[in-house]
mmCIF file of all heavy atoms in Angstrom:
data_model
loop_
_atom_site.group_PDB
_atom_site.id
_atom_site.type_symbol
_atom_site.label_atom_id
_atom_site.label_comp_id
_atom_site.label_asym_id
_atom_site.label_seq_id
_atom_site.Cartn_x
_atom_site.Cartn_y
_atom_site.Cartn_z
ATOM 1 N N ARG A 314 180.619 -75.193 -34.769
ATOM 2 C CA ARG A 314 180.658 -75.701 -36.138
ATOM 3 C C ARG A 314 181.070 -77.167 -36.136
ATOM 4 O O ARG A 314 181.650 -77.659 -35.191
ATOM 5 C CB ARG A 314 181.677 -74.939 -36.969
ATOM 6 C CG ARG A 314 181.410 -73.468 -37.077
ATOM 7 C CD ARG A 314 182.337 -72.840 -38.118
ATOM 8 N NE ARG A 314 182.367 -71.411 -38.056
ATOM 9 C CZ ARG A 314 181.370 -70.598 -38.307
ATOM 10 N NH1 ARG A 314 180.203 -71.068 -38.602
ATOM 11 N NH2 ARG A 314 181.512 -69.299 -38.247
ATOM 12 N N ALA A 315 180.766 -77.811 -37.250
ATOM 13 C CA ALA A 315 181.235 -79.173 -37.538
ATOM 14 C C ALA A 315 180.969 -80.157 -36.411
ATOM 15 O O ALA A 315 181.785 -80.992 -36.087
ATOM 16 C CB ALA A 315 182.722 -79.157 -37.885
ATOM 17 N N GLU A 316 179.834 -80.018 -35.793
ATOM 18 C CA GLU A 316 179.450 -80.950 -34.747
ATOM 19 C C GLU A 316 178.080 -81.504 -35.085
ATOM 20 O O GLU A 316 177.368 -80.969 -35.916
ATOM 21 C CB GLU A 316 179.382 -80.237 -33.392
ATOM 22 C CG GLU A 316 180.650 -79.504 -33.068
ATOM 23 C CD GLU A 316 180.899 -79.385 -31.585
ATOM 24 O OE1 GLU A 316 180.476 -80.262 -30.839
ATOM 25 O OE2 GLU A 316 181.521 -78.392 -31.206
ATOM 26 N N THR A 317 177.716 -82.573 -34.431
ATOM 27 C CA THR A 317 176.377 -83.116 -34.574
ATOM 28 C C THR A 317 175.504 -82.473 -33.506
ATOM 29 O O THR A 317 175.869 -82.454 -32.335
ATOM 30 C CB THR A 317 176.400 -84.649 -34.376
ATOM 31 O OG1 THR A 317 177.275 -85.220 -35.339
ATOM 32 C CG2 THR A 317 175.026 -85.235 -34.532
ATOM 33 N N PHE A 318 174.372 -81.943 -33.920
ATOM 34 C CA PHE A 318 173.432 -81.335 -32.993
ATOM 35 C C PHE A 318 172.178 -82.197 -32.956
ATOM 36 O O PHE A 318 171.754 -82.731 -33.968
ATOM 37 C CB PHE A 318 173.051 -79.918 -33.445
ATOM 38 C CG PHE A 318 174.225 -79.005 -33.566
ATOM 39 C CD1 PHE A 318 174.725 -78.671 -34.816
ATOM 40 C CD2 PHE A 318 174.836 -78.487 -32.445
ATOM 41 C CE1 PHE A 318 175.823 -77.825 -34.934
ATOM 42 C CE2 PHE A 318 175.933 -77.649 -32.548
ATOM 43 C CZ PHE A 318 176.424 -77.317 -33.805
ATOM 44 N N ARG A 319 171.608 -82.316 -31.783
ATOM 45 C CA ARG A 319 170.353 -83.049 -31.673
ATOM 46 C C ARG A 319 169.544 -82.477 -30.516
ATOM 47 O O ARG A 319 170.054 -81.717 -29.695
ATOM 48 C CB ARG A 319 170.586 -84.544 -31.512
ATOM 49 C CG ARG A 319 171.131 -84.941 -30.165
ATOM 50 C CD ARG A 319 171.218 -86.453 -30.041
ATOM 51 N NE ARG A 319 171.477 -86.788 -28.663
ATOM 52 C CZ ARG A 319 172.320 -87.716 -28.272
ATOM 53 N NH1 ARG A 319 172.966 -88.436 -29.156
ATOM 54 N NH2 ARG A 319 172.487 -87.960 -26.993
ATOM 55 N N PHE A 320 168.282 -82.893 -30.488
ATOM 56 C CA PHE A 320 167.359 -82.422 -29.466
ATOM 57 C C PHE A 320 166.928 -83.618 -28.625
ATOM 58 O O PHE A 320 166.311 -84.542 -29.126
ATOM 59 C CB PHE A 320 166.156 -81.728 -30.113
ATOM 60 C CG PHE A 320 166.579 -80.516 -30.885
ATOM 61 C CD1 PHE A 320 166.881 -80.610 -32.232
ATOM 62 C CD2 PHE A 320 166.720 -79.297 -30.249
ATOM 63 C CE1 PHE A 320 167.310 -79.498 -32.935
ATOM 64 C CE2 PHE A 320 167.153 -78.179 -30.941
ATOM 65 C CZ PHE A 320 167.448 -78.277 -32.295
ATOM 66 N N ASP A 321 167.309 -83.570 -27.350
ATOM 67 C CA ASP A 321 166.993 -84.640 -26.415
ATOM 68 C C ASP A 321 165.924 -84.162 -25.443
ATOM 69 O O ASP A 321 165.636 -82.971 -25.338
ATOM 70 C CB ASP A 321 168.226 -85.058 -25.615
ATOM 71 C CG ASP A 321 169.230 -85.872 -26.412
ATOM 72 O OD1 ASP A 321 169.075 -85.979 -27.643
ATOM 73 O OD2 ASP A 321 170.175 -86.394 -25.795
ATOM 74 N N PHE A 322 165.396 -85.117 -24.731
ATOM 75 C CA PHE A 322 164.366 -84.841 -23.745
ATOM 76 C C PHE A 322 164.666 -85.666 -22.502
ATOM 77 O O PHE A 322 165.029 -86.831 -22.603
ATOM 78 C CB PHE A 322 162.995 -85.249 -24.317
ATOM 79 C CG PHE A 322 161.903 -85.170 -23.305
ATOM 80 C CD1 PHE A 322 161.281 -83.976 -23.037
ATOM 81 C CD2 PHE A 322 161.522 -86.290 -22.590
ATOM 82 C CE1 PHE A 322 160.289 -83.900 -22.078
ATOM 83 C CE2 PHE A 322 160.544 -86.225 -21.636
ATOM 84 C CZ PHE A 322 159.925 -85.026 -21.381
ATOM 85 N N VAL A 323 164.525 -85.050 -21.333
ATOM 86 C CA VAL A 323 164.593 -85.792 -20.073
ATOM 87 C C VAL A 323 163.307 -85.503 -19.310
ATOM 88 O O VAL A 323 162.982 -84.349 -19.016
ATOM 89 C CB VAL A 323 165.822 -85.412 -19.219
ATOM 90 C CG1 VAL A 323 165.764 -86.090 -17.853
ATOM 91 C CG2 VAL A 323 167.118 -85.798 -19.927
ATOM 92 N N GLY A 324 162.581 -86.568 -19.027
ATOM 93 C CA GLY A 324 161.342 -86.472 -18.268
ATOM 94 C C GLY A 324 161.548 -86.983 -16.857
ATOM 95 O O GLY A 324 162.189 -88.005 -16.645
ATOM 96 N N ILE A 325 160.999 -86.253 -15.904
ATOM 97 C CA ILE A 325 161.148 -86.606 -14.494
ATOM 98 C C ILE A 325 159.759 -86.837 -13.895
ATOM 99 O O ILE A 325 158.880 -85.977 -13.997
ATOM 100 C CB ILE A 325 161.835 -85.471 -13.699
ATOM 101 C CG1 ILE A 325 163.163 -85.053 -14.331
ATOM 102 C CG2 ILE A 325 161.979 -85.849 -12.226
ATOM 103 C CD1 ILE A 325 164.307 -86.004 -14.166
ATOM 104 N N VAL A 326 159.591 -87.996 -13.286
ATOM 105 C CA VAL A 326 158.405 -88.300 -12.480
ATOM 106 C C VAL A 326 158.955 -88.801 -11.146
ATOM 107 O O VAL A 326 159.726 -89.770 -11.131
ATOM 108 C CB VAL A 326 157.508 -89.377 -13.135
ATOM 109 C CG1 VAL A 326 156.357 -89.744 -12.211
ATOM 110 C CG2 VAL A 326 156.990 -88.901 -14.483
ATOM 111 N N PRO A 327 158.631 -88.145 -10.039
ATOM 112 C CA PRO A 327 159.176 -88.565 -8.739
ATOM 113 C C PRO A 327 158.980 -90.065 -8.495
ATOM 114 O O PRO A 327 157.938 -90.634 -8.808
ATOM 115 C CB PRO A 327 158.377 -87.727 -7.738
ATOM 116 C CG PRO A 327 158.010 -86.498 -8.505
ATOM 117 C CD PRO A 327 157.739 -86.995 -9.904
ATOM 118 N N GLY A 328 160.036 -90.684 -7.973
ATOM 119 C CA GLY A 328 159.989 -92.107 -7.655
ATOM 120 C C GLY A 328 160.332 -93.021 -8.821
ATOM 121 O O GLY A 328 160.358 -94.235 -8.675
ATOM 122 N N ARG A 329 160.593 -92.435 -9.981
ATOM 123 C CA ARG A 329 160.958 -93.219 -11.159
ATOM 124 C C ARG A 329 162.302 -92.732 -11.688
ATOM 125 O O ARG A 329 162.699 -91.593 -11.460
ATOM 126 C CB ARG A 329 159.912 -93.049 -12.264
ATOM 127 C CG ARG A 329 158.525 -93.488 -11.846
ATOM 128 C CD ARG A 329 157.520 -93.104 -12.888
ATOM 129 N NE ARG A 329 157.287 -94.247 -13.765
ATOM 130 C CZ ARG A 329 156.513 -94.206 -14.828
ATOM 131 N NH1 ARG A 329 155.939 -93.093 -15.191
ATOM 132 N NH2 ARG A 329 156.321 -95.289 -15.546
ATOM 133 N N ALA A 330 162.969 -93.610 -12.428
ATOM 134 C CA ALA A 330 164.216 -93.206 -13.083
ATOM 135 C C ALA A 330 163.888 -92.173 -14.163
ATOM 136 O O ALA A 330 162.829 -92.248 -14.795
ATOM 137 C CB ALA A 330 164.888 -94.421 -13.709
ATOM 138 N N PRO A 331 164.766 -91.196 -14.394
ATOM 139 C CA PRO A 331 164.527 -90.226 -15.461
ATOM 140 C C PRO A 331 164.384 -90.934 -16.812
ATOM 141 O O PRO A 331 165.044 -91.929 -17.082
ATOM 142 C CB PRO A 331 165.773 -89.342 -15.441
ATOM 143 C CG PRO A 331 166.299 -89.468 -14.054
ATOM 144 C CD PRO A 331 165.997 -90.889 -13.651
ATOM 145 N N GLU A 332 163.510 -90.408 -17.636
ATOM 146 C CA GLU A 332 163.325 -90.921 -18.996
ATOM 147 C C GLU A 332 164.135 -90.032 -19.929
ATOM 148 O O GLU A 332 163.859 -88.842 -20.055
ATOM 149 C CB GLU A 332 161.840 -90.862 -19.370
ATOM 150 C CG GLU A 332 161.565 -91.215 -20.813
ATOM 151 C CD GLU A 332 160.152 -90.892 -21.257
ATOM 152 O OE1 GLU A 332 159.524 -89.967 -20.706
ATOM 153 O OE2 GLU A 332 159.686 -91.582 -22.174
ATOM 154 N N HIS A 333 165.147 -90.612 -20.582
ATOM 155 C CA HIS A 333 165.986 -89.853 -21.512
ATOM 156 C C HIS A 333 165.668 -90.318 -22.926
ATOM 157 O O HIS A 333 165.879 -91.472 -23.262
ATOM 158 C CB HIS A 333 167.463 -90.073 -21.194
ATOM 159 C CG HIS A 333 168.386 -89.304 -22.090
ATOM 160 N ND1 HIS A 333 169.680 -89.672 -22.293
ATOM 161 C CD2 HIS A 333 168.206 -88.190 -22.841
ATOM 162 C CE1 HIS A 333 170.266 -88.817 -23.121
ATOM 163 N NE2 HIS A 333 169.380 -87.912 -23.470
ATOM 164 N N ILE A 334 165.178 -89.404 -23.737
ATOM 165 C CA ILE A 334 164.903 -89.706 -25.134
ATOM 166 C C ILE A 334 165.918 -88.941 -25.974
ATOM 167 O O ILE A 334 165.899 -87.705 -26.029
ATOM 168 C CB ILE A 334 163.472 -89.299 -25.536
ATOM 169 C CG1 ILE A 334 162.447 -90.019 -24.670
ATOM 170 C CG2 ILE A 334 163.232 -89.597 -27.022
ATOM 171 C CD1 ILE A 334 161.018 -89.546 -24.869
ATOM 172 N N GLU A 335 166.842 -89.686 -26.574
ATOM 173 C CA GLU A 335 167.827 -89.066 -27.457
ATOM 174 C C GLU A 335 167.176 -88.809 -28.807
ATOM 175 O O GLU A 335 166.368 -89.607 -29.272
ATOM 176 C CB GLU A 335 169.036 -89.986 -27.618
ATOM 177 C CG GLU A 335 169.810 -90.183 -26.338
ATOM 178 C CD GLU A 335 171.034 -91.069 -26.510
ATOM 179 O OE1 GLU A 335 171.281 -91.577 -27.617
ATOM 180 O OE2 GLU A 335 171.741 -91.255 -25.512
ATOM 181 N N ASP A 336 167.534 -87.678 -29.421
ATOM 182 C CA ASP A 336 166.982 -87.326 -30.731
ATOM 183 C C ASP A 336 165.456 -87.332 -30.692
ATOM 184 O O ASP A 336 164.798 -87.930 -31.544
ATOM 185 C CB ASP A 336 167.496 -88.309 -31.795
ATOM 186 C CG ASP A 336 168.125 -87.587 -32.962
ATOM 187 O OD1 ASP A 336 168.001 -86.344 -33.047
ATOM 188 O OD2 ASP A 336 168.737 -88.270 -33.799
ATOM 189 N N ALA A 337 164.901 -86.683 -29.683
ATOM 190 C CA ALA A 337 163.467 -86.684 -29.436
ATOM 191 C C ALA A 337 162.664 -86.041 -30.568
ATOM 192 O O ALA A 337 161.524 -86.435 -30.811
ATOM 193 C CB ALA A 337 163.160 -85.985 -28.109
ATOM 194 N N PHE A 338 163.247 -85.050 -31.228
ATOM 195 C CA PHE A 338 162.595 -84.432 -32.376
ATOM 196 C C PHE A 338 163.660 -83.840 -33.282
ATOM 197 O O PHE A 338 164.826 -83.737 -32.909
ATOM 198 C CB PHE A 338 161.547 -83.389 -31.960
ATOM 199 C CG PHE A 338 162.075 -82.282 -31.091
ATOM 200 C CD1 PHE A 338 162.564 -81.104 -31.644
ATOM 201 C CD2 PHE A 338 162.045 -82.403 -29.710
ATOM 202 C CE1 PHE A 338 163.027 -80.085 -30.837
ATOM 203 C CE2 PHE A 338 162.511 -81.378 -28.900
ATOM 204 C CZ PHE A 338 163.003 -80.222 -29.462
ATOM 205 N N SER A 339 163.256 -83.491 -34.477
ATOM 206 C CA SER A 339 164.180 -83.055 -35.504
ATOM 207 C C SER A 339 164.024 -81.570 -35.803
ATOM 208 O O SER A 339 162.939 -81.006 -35.658
ATOM 209 C CB SER A 339 163.909 -83.870 -36.770
ATOM 210 O OG SER A 339 164.601 -83.337 -37.872
ATOM 211 N N ALA A 340 165.104 -80.971 -36.280
ATOM 212 C CA ALA A 340 165.071 -79.578 -36.727
ATOM 213 C C ALA A 340 165.016 -79.514 -38.256
ATOM 214 O O ALA A 340 165.283 -78.468 -38.839
ATOM 215 C CB ALA A 340 166.304 -78.839 -36.222
ATOM 216 N N GLU A 341 164.637 -80.619 -38.865
ATOM 217 C CA GLU A 341 164.563 -80.677 -40.317
ATOM 218 C C GLU A 341 163.709 -79.527 -40.842
ATOM 219 O O GLU A 341 162.622 -79.252 -40.334
ATOM 220 C CB GLU A 341 163.959 -82.009 -40.755
ATOM 221 C CG GLU A 341 164.055 -82.258 -42.231
ATOM 222 C CD GLU A 341 163.594 -83.646 -42.616
ATOM 223 O OE1 GLU A 341 163.913 -84.595 -41.875
ATOM 224 O OE2 GLU A 341 162.901 -83.761 -43.632
ATOM 225 N N GLY A 342 164.246 -78.849 -41.847
ATOM 226 C CA GLY A 342 163.527 -77.732 -42.437
ATOM 227 C C GLY A 342 163.876 -76.390 -41.813
ATOM 228 O O GLY A 342 163.423 -75.353 -42.288
ATOM 229 N N PHE A 343 164.698 -76.379 -40.771
ATOM 230 C CA PHE A 343 165.064 -75.124 -40.115
ATOM 231 C C PHE A 343 166.420 -74.591 -40.577
ATOM 232 O O PHE A 343 166.796 -73.509 -40.233
ATOM 233 C CB PHE A 343 165.055 -75.267 -38.596
ATOM 234 C CG PHE A 343 163.687 -75.122 -38.014
ATOM 235 C CD1 PHE A 343 162.836 -76.194 -37.945
ATOM 236 C CD2 PHE A 343 163.244 -73.887 -37.563
ATOM 237 C CE1 PHE A 343 161.561 -76.059 -37.414
ATOM 238 C CE2 PHE A 343 161.977 -73.739 -37.041
ATOM 239 C CZ PHE A 343 161.130 -74.825 -36.970
ATOM 240 N N GLY A 344 167.186 -75.398 -41.306
ATOM 241 C CA GLY A 344 168.442 -74.913 -41.894
ATOM 242 C C GLY A 344 169.567 -74.645 -40.944
ATOM 243 O O GLY A 344 169.992 -73.516 -40.797
ATOM 244 N N PHE A 345 170.046 -75.663 -40.267
ATOM 245 C CA PHE A 345 171.233 -75.512 -39.419
ATOM 246 C C PHE A 345 172.430 -75.262 -40.270
ATOM 247 O O PHE A 345 172.696 -75.773 -41.265
ATOM 248 C CB PHE A 345 171.472 -76.777 -38.576
ATOM 249 C CG PHE A 345 170.778 -76.725 -37.258
ATOM 250 C CD1 PHE A 345 169.600 -77.417 -37.042
ATOM 251 C CD2 PHE A 345 171.287 -75.980 -36.234
ATOM 252 C CE1 PHE A 345 168.967 -77.375 -35.831
ATOM 253 C CE2 PHE A 345 170.652 -75.929 -35.011
ATOM 254 C CZ PHE A 345 169.495 -76.626 -34.812
#
Side-chain angles (χ1 to χ4, degrees):
R314 300 190 194 295
E316 306 208 30
T317 301
F318 301 105
R319 72 175 192 222
F320 298 92
D321 286 9
F322 172 83
V323 173
I325 306 287
V326 175
R329 300 171 96 184
E332 173 192 28
H333 181 203
I334 301 172
E335 294 182 358
D336 233 350
F338 57 91
S339 169
E341 190 173 320
F343 277 85
F345 270 102

